[in-house]
Amino acid sequence: MIEEEVEDLEELGEDEPEQEQEMYEHFRLEVDPGQNLLRIDRFLVDRLPNVSRTKIQEAAEAQCVQVNNKPVKSNYRVKPKDIVTLMLPHPKREIRVIPEDIPLNIVYEDDYLLVINKEPGMVVHPSYGHYTGTLVNALAWHLKGNPLFKENDPRPGLVHRIDKDTSGLLVIAKTEEAKTKLSSQFFHKTSSRKYVAVCWGNLENDNGTIIGNIGRSISNRKIMGVFPEGSDYGKHAVTHYHVLERLGYVNVVECVLETGRTHQIRAHFKSIRHPLFNDPEYGGNEILKGTTFTKYKQFVQNCFTLCPRQALHAKTLGFEHPGTGKWMDFNSEIPQDIQQLIEKWRGYVANRELEDIE
């Protein structure tokens, strides 16, 4: 199980006196039980979005990369259950969780947990560049007095996350016991989640499975790349999908995650050349299928305006209640922007005969 504490790292200024350069722990990770032997510099660069491999190697030379509290070289091969820490001469900047009175769509709440239907555009937890306006800021207001929601903990109660522009269901723990039990379910894949998405193109089969390691893109560290299954780069990832509706140049699909990696659905569908509709980071905000007619281009642009984000919604969520042991299922409506997008494509298909659909 990997537990990451990822902080924004800044270069130490050249004019800063050496005697003031204390060492601080910026990252702490526990290696997954199923992790293959892998060089520690590759292991870290795969998991830390803001740190280059060169910087990690320099840190190792300076004895700032440790495994189980002992310095290691950059060619050390991590093993399951290793505790890896990266130390750098710059203190972590504290992120305070400021309670904010932000409306939440709460679909269920009791003494143990609450289930939120997150709106698109809302960041889940505070991070650098997103200090306020997050789901956690709203929860800190809603759960004033809850000891779990401490001012200096940017991820209280969180057991899973969804992207800023992805909408849908999230469960939030209200006690430490609930957080432990719910986190265990997500880690051991005994919880249940289904997503609905609109992707570009006409998928060859009604049912399919995408398998490929997911790790930070080599060419663009802000997004995730998909690498061959079994390679020593990235983490094993499996996405199952079922085509719900074929709408000519786009398909509506249901996705079930066998693993839960960052940007998993978005990266996997990009890898099979069917990126999610209007996903700017994975190329879905371009006209990838269809005709060259001006009217068609305008139609697609209108669709982009109608749904100004990746068309992805976390529709269902199921888990065992941490207090009662009872199985709980939640289902959310497809949000208006995605529903209107689907209706618009239905109208297009109904009124036009499509040829040579790929």
Side-chain angles (χ1 to χ4, degrees):
M1 182 176 183
I2 293 182
E3 195 176 310
E4 297 190 28
E5 188 175 12
V6 180
E7 305 294 342
D8 186 45
L9 306 181
E10 291 183 348
E11 298 275 346
L12 182 66
E14 293 181 0
D15 57 350
E16 187 165 342
E18 288 188 12
Q19 62 268 27
E20 295 180 12
Q21 297 182 14
E22 295 184 71
M23 302 306 299
Y24 296 86
E25 178 180 307
H26 283 74
F27 301 91
R28 182 181 185 277
L29 305 93
E30 181 178 347
V31 181
D32 284 336
Q35 174 68 50
N36 295 326
L37 293 177
L38 180 65
R39 281 178 59 113
I40 196 166
D41 54 351
R42 297 192 66 176
F43 172 83
L44 287 171
V45 80
D46 183 24
R47 287 156 177 77
L48 307 181
N50 299 316
V51 185
S52 68
R53 190 172 180 181
T54 298
K55 193 164 187 177
I56 290 169
Q57 291 172 340
E58 291 174 350
E61 285 296 320
Q63 297 191 324
C64 297
V65 176
Q66 298 187 2
V67 175
N68 305 323
N69 296 317
K70 294 182 180 180
V72 296
K73 297 297 184 182
S74 57
N75 63 352
Y76 172 86
R77 294 183 180 271
V78 296
K79 301 183 296 293
K81 294 295 185 177
D82 275 348
I83 302 299
V84 179
T85 55
L86 172 62
M87 316 284 284
L88 291 170
H90 184 81
K92 291 188 289 187
R93 291 186 290 180
E94 292 187 1
I95 298 179
R96 294 178 57 214
V97 177
I98 302 171
E100 296 180 70
D101 188 7
I102 302 170
L104 289 172
N105 184 358
I106 300 173
V107 299
Y108 176 83
E109 183 173 12
D110 61 23
D111 291 339
Y112 293 85
L113 58 89
L114 66 162
V115 176
I116 304 289
N117 191 11
K118 187 186 83 68
E119 300 294 329
M122 174 179 273
V123 175
V124 170
H125 61 78
S127 60
Y128 297 102
H130 299 284
Y131 296 95
T132 61
T134 73
L135 176 64
V136 166
N137 292 112
L139 289 169
W141 179 279
H142 179 74
L143 299 174
K144 283 181 178 178
N146 186 313
L148 195 61
F149 284 75
K150 301 172 183 177
E151 186 180 75
N152 61 349
D153 184 356
R155 303 181 188 182
L158 297 183
V159 295
H160 64 127
R161 294 176 290 170
I162 56 179
D163 298 336
K164 172 188 173 185
D165 288 325
T166 299
S167 54
L169 296 171
L170 285 166
V171 60
I172 309 295
K174 293 173 67 174
T175 69
E176 289 287 358
E177 180 186 10
K179 185 175 182 180
T180 298
K181 290 184 176 181
L182 288 169
S183 296
S184 177
Q185 292 182 55
F186 278 86
F187 177 71
H188 293 291
K189 306 177 183 65
T190 57
S191 59
S192 172
R193 287 181 289 170
K194 291 183 180 179
Y195 292 74
V196 170
V198 179
C199 70
W200 274 108
N202 204 23
L203 290 157
E204 183 177 353
N205 301 308
D206 286 342
N207 297 285
T209 297
I210 308 170
I211 302 175
N213 286 14
I214 291 182
R216 289 286 163 186
S217 169
I218 296 172
S219 59
N220 181 357
R221 304 289 296 167
K222 293 182 179 180
I223 65 173
M224 308 304 287
V226 178
F227 304 89
E229 172 72 2
S231 69
D232 59 2
Y233 191 82
K235 298 170 71 177
H236 173 71
V238 181
T239 302
H240 305 284
Y241 68 83
H242 169 67
V243 177
L244 298 174
E245 193 170 1
R246 295 180 182 275
L247 297 172
Y249 299 122
V250 301
N251 284 179
V252 183
V253 294
E254 178 183 83
C255 301
V256 177
L257 303 183
E258 190 172 306
T259 54
R261 310 305 183 197
T262 301
H263 294 186
Q264 178 169 321
I265 294 173
R266 300 166 67 189
H268 265 172
F269 273 80
K270 167 69 173 181
S271 74
I272 62 169
R273 301 183 180 180
H274 291 278
L276 300 193
F277 190 86
N278 208 14
D279 187 341
E281 293 179 313
Y282 291 88
N285 60 336
E286 300 176 2
I287 300 176
L288 300 179
K289 298 289 182 179
T291 72
T292 58
F293 298 130
T294 301
K295 286 186 177 180
Y296 175 75
K297 292 180 179 179
Q298 186 57 57
F299 165 78
V300 176
Q301 290 298 333
N302 291 341
C303 288
F304 287 155
T305 300
L306 198 62
C307 183
R309 49 131 176 167
Q310 69 258 14
L312 180 61
H313 176 66
K315 193 175 191 303
T316 72
L317 176 64
F319 54 85
E320 185 180 282
H321 191 280
T324 66
K326 178 183 176 182
W327 184 262
M328 306 189 76
D329 277 310
F330 297 91
N331 184 41
S332 60
E333 294 293 327
I334 296 175
Q336 187 176 23
D337 58 351
I338 296 179
Q339 189 59 51
Q340 288 178 341
L341 173 67
I342 293 171
E343 290 293 340
K344 198 168 183 67
W345 276 101
R346 284 175 181 159
Y348 181 88
V349 171
N351 290 295
R352 290 165 177 80
E353 181 177 352
L354 300 179
E355 297 179 355
D356 299 324
I357 297 174
E358 297 180 357

